[in-house]
Amino acid sequence: MFTRSFILKKTGQGILHLLFWVAVLFFFTYFFGTSQTPFKDTLLFSLFLMPTTIATTYVSTYKLIPEYLITKRYWRFALYGVYTLIISVYLLMVSIFFSLIYLSNFEYAEMNPATKNIIFIITAVYLVVFVVSAFKLLKLNLEQVSKTKALETKILDTQLKLKEQELNYLKMQIHPHFLFNTLNTMYGFALKKADETPEMILKLSNLLDYLLYQAEKPFVLLSEEIAHIKDYIELEKMRFHNTLNVDMNISLTSDTITIAPMLLIPFIENSFKHGSIQNGVLHISIELTSSLEHIYFRITNTHSENGDAQGGIGLENIKKRLELLYPNAYQLTIGDKAKTFDVELQLKITTHA
């Protein structure tokens, strides 16, 4: 069932077409008119040309161009184009013949001089066909470009959503891993009824606030990420007591530098989880510096030769997140030596709106 808007649209298009062909009729009348020929005769001659002109134009714009030229079926376009040319020229000659009968009563001398030249007439008719076809081709090309851009945008949106889903999945894996380690530590302190338990709860509260409200953001201030790391290290210090030595060296050139949340903490976690106490102490060295273009992070921890320093969910997740968040903008180096495990990460800082 046709809707009212569809009917109005088609009616409007019909009116525009009608106005266009009326304009073409007057163009022919002016084009073929001479001072010796009455306006009425020239107008009637132009009317004889209109059916062939209209038919040829519509065949070109609604059949040849969209079905063969645009779809790159060039041989068919050339073949049917030649057929159209031959038929249209034949019909034009028939139109001229009937105009000769009707307007000049077979008196060649009385014919309009402009209408005696078949090449002149064909040129006028195909000028209209060419102009209309050119506009049709331009319109189809613009529509194709618009469709291509819309498709590219849709594909990019789909890829972006998939990346967001994957990032969220990776974050969901990081959070339980982090919470499990921290709660396990608190459970041990609670059993001992240690005096540090309230302070641990306060630190954990800060970390949970960071996880719930900051980690969902695509990027956070590097200074906030550092504060989160320090709270985590303080919790671990309470667990290790005198068996832990953490050496931190932090130098930032600006307070506005941003980084993806929870990006560095898996490396910190792995150092505590898979690090080994050597000579009674677990040594961890952390270096974090930044310039206006780069972030440099390095962490080194002691471990035994038989230890699985690279295990854990967090480290695998961070590699995937780096590929998603910093494609071609990071360098990750992991070194597993005899007694130390070393991770070095360089990030290229990008601006985020």
Side-chain angles (χ1 to χ4, degrees):
M1 183 178 180
F2 294 111
T3 62
R4 182 178 179 182
S5 59
F6 178 81
I7 295 174
L8 290 175
K9 180 180 179 181
K10 290 299 180 181
T11 302
Q13 290 178 350
I15 293 173
L16 288 176
H17 282 234
L18 179 61
L19 292 175
F20 172 77
W21 291 120
V22 169
V24 171
L25 176 62
F26 282 103
F27 165 72
F28 282 168
T29 303
Y30 173 79
F31 196 74
F32 297 119
T34 61
S35 57
Q36 295 82 15
T37 306
F39 175 81
K40 178 182 177 182
D41 290 348
T42 307
L43 179 62
L44 289 174
F45 176 78
S46 300
L47 281 171
F48 277 105
L49 300 180
M50 290 303 295
T52 303
T53 305
I54 294 172
T56 305
T57 301
Y58 283 148
V59 168
S60 175
T61 55
Y62 289 103
K63 188 70 177 179
L64 297 179
I65 291 177
E67 293 190 13
Y68 302 116
L69 184 59
I70 292 297
T71 57
K72 298 182 180 180
R73 300 159 69 183
Y74 299 122
W75 284 109
R76 287 181 177 270
F77 174 76
L79 179 63
Y80 294 138
V82 171
Y83 287 163
T84 303
L85 176 62
I86 294 172
I87 294 173
S88 61
V89 170
Y90 171 76
L91 292 175
L92 285 174
M93 293 180 68
V94 171
S95 300
I96 295 172
F97 178 75
F98 277 105
S99 68
L100 178 63
I101 297 174
Y102 183 78
L103 298 175
S104 305
N105 296 318
F106 282 102
E107 294 293 336
Y108 183 78
E110 296 182 7
M111 287 184 65
N112 182 345
T115 62
K116 294 179 181 181
N117 189 338
I118 184 65
I119 302 300
F120 187 67
I121 295 172
I122 292 175
T123 301
V125 171
Y126 268 88
L127 176 63
V128 176
V129 176
F130 176 79
V131 170
V132 176
S133 298
F135 275 103
K136 180 67 174 183
L137 186 60
L138 177 61
K139 179 183 177 182
L140 291 175
N141 283 332
L142 291 176
E143 289 177 353
Q144 186 64 34
V145 170
S146 178
K147 289 180 181 179
T148 302
K149 288 184 177 180
L151 181 60
E152 290 176 351
T153 302
K154 186 176 181 180
I155 292 174
L156 290 175
D157 289 342
T158 302
Q159 292 176 342
L160 180 60
K161 289 180 181 178
L162 289 175
K163 285 187 177 182
E164 289 178 350
Q165 290 176 359
E166 186 173 357
L167 284 171
N168 289 333
Y169 173 73
L170 294 174
K171 287 181 182 180
M172 288 174 64
Q173 286 186 320
I174 291 174
H175 296 176
H177 183 218
F178 160 74
L179 290 175
F180 174 80
N181 291 341
T182 305
L183 290 174
N184 191 43
T185 301
M186 288 186 59
Y187 177 71
F189 272 78
L191 290 178
K192 297 177 184 179
K193 297 182 180 179
D195 295 336
E196 296 93 337
T197 303
E199 186 178 354
M200 290 188 69
I201 294 174
L202 179 61
K203 295 290 184 184
L204 180 60
S205 176
N206 293 335
L207 293 175
L208 288 175
D209 178 76
Y210 184 85
L211 288 174
L212 291 174
Y213 299 106
Q214 302 299 323
E216 296 303 319
K217 299 178 181 179
F219 292 90
V220 297
L221 291 175
L222 180 58
S223 58
E224 294 179 352
E225 183 77 1
I226 292 172
H228 168 60
I229 291 173
K230 288 181 177 179
D231 283 341
Y232 178 81
I233 292 175
E234 288 300 319
L235 286 173
E236 293 293 355
K237 284 181 178 180
M238 296 178 188
R239 179 165 68 94
F240 279 85
H241 291 290
N242 297 327
T243 62
L244 175 66
N245 178 39
V246 178
D247 182 20
M248 293 186 66
N249 181 19
I250 298 175
S251 176
L252 304 182
T253 57
S254 173
D255 293 332
T256 61
I257 297 173
T258 60
I259 190 173
M262 300 292 292
L263 191 69
L264 303 179
I265 191 64
F267 298 123
I268 309 292
E269 282 188 276
N270 270 17
S271 294
F272 285 101
K273 184 177 181 180
H274 300 285
S276 299
I277 295 177
Q278 301 290 336
N279 299 323
V281 179
L282 169 61
H283 292 278
I284 297 177
S285 175
I286 300 173
E287 181 181 357
L288 180 59
T289 61
S290 70
S291 64
L292 295 178
E293 295 83 21
H294 294 88
I295 295 175
Y296 176 80
F297 172 78
R298 182 177 183 179
I299 182 168
T300 304
N301 62 272
T302 55
H303 80 101
S304 62
E305 295 183 7
N306 298 326
D308 181 17
Q310 298 188 49
I313 295 175
L315 194 56
E316 291 301 319
N317 281 354
I318 206 64
K319 293 177 181 178
K320 295 178 182 178
R321 291 185 70 203
L322 283 170
E323 288 294 332
L324 292 171
L325 293 170
Y326 295 92
N328 303 318
Y330 79 95
Q331 182 177 350
L332 178 64
T333 304
I334 298 177
D336 190 0
K337 301 178 182 178
K339 293 184 179 181
T340 60
F341 183 72
D342 182 82
V343 174
E344 185 176 348
L345 175 64
Q346 297 184 60
L347 296 175
K348 184 178 179 181
I349 297 176
T350 55
T351 57
H352 306 284

